[in-house]
Amino acid sequence: HLCSRVVDGDTIIVNIDGKKERVRLIGVDTPETKHPKKPVEYYGKEASAFTKQMVEGKKVRLDHDQQRRDKYSRLLAYVYLEDGTFLNAEIIKQGYGFAYTRFPFKYLEQFREYEKEARESYRGLWKNN
């Protein structure tokens, strides 16, 4: 599938069978940039730019967990690049987002660990902490 657009750090648009689908990355939460009721949060623009650089205009493979859609009818997915890069994990590893642990998912413990490593290495949004 082709990622035609990045909405923000944790949401992308993917063309699936000729239809544009909004895809929410599972297990990742990046600072807000497009929320109608919230200001742009610290490091939000950087997170969006990172995701854009990683996947916009590129082919991706989607993998799903137990829940296929969220309450906003967005597809929930793990996103992989053609070279095997696991986008969801990469965002957290590089410090562009947090492990979103409100709901259980396959890689919860790994993502928690990636966030801890990013924080301890002062990567990305952790660099001034």
Side-chain angles (χ1 to χ4, degrees), residues 105-121:
F105 62 98
K106 218 180 330 196
Y107 304 104
L108 191 139
E109 288 309 319
Q110 282 170 270
F111 281 23
R112 263 201 185 124
E113 195 52 41
Y114 296 152
E115 182 183 312
K116 183 173 176 268
E117 287 166 16
R119 195 171 52 238
E120 287 170 357
S121 305

Side-chain angles (χ1 to χ4, degrees), residues 48-93:
S48 285
F50 178 76
T51 301
K52 192 173 196 163
Q53 173 213 323
M54 291 292 286
V55 292
E56 198 166 82
K58 296 181 183 164
K59 281 191 174 164
V60 295
R61 180 173 63 80
L62 305 180
D63 193 13
H64 304 281
D65 212 321
Q66 296 136 347
Q67 194 183 341
R68 203 162 166 89
R69 293 193 182 267
D70 67 8
K71 64 182 180 187
Y72 307 107
S73 73
R74 298 177 295 190
L75 265 182
L76 298 170
Y78 299 112
V79 176
Y80 297 89
L81 300 173
E82 282 186 299
D83 67 3
T85 301
F86 184 11
L87 179 64
N88 308 49
E90 211 52 39
I91 290 169
I92 297 167
K93 282 180 179 176

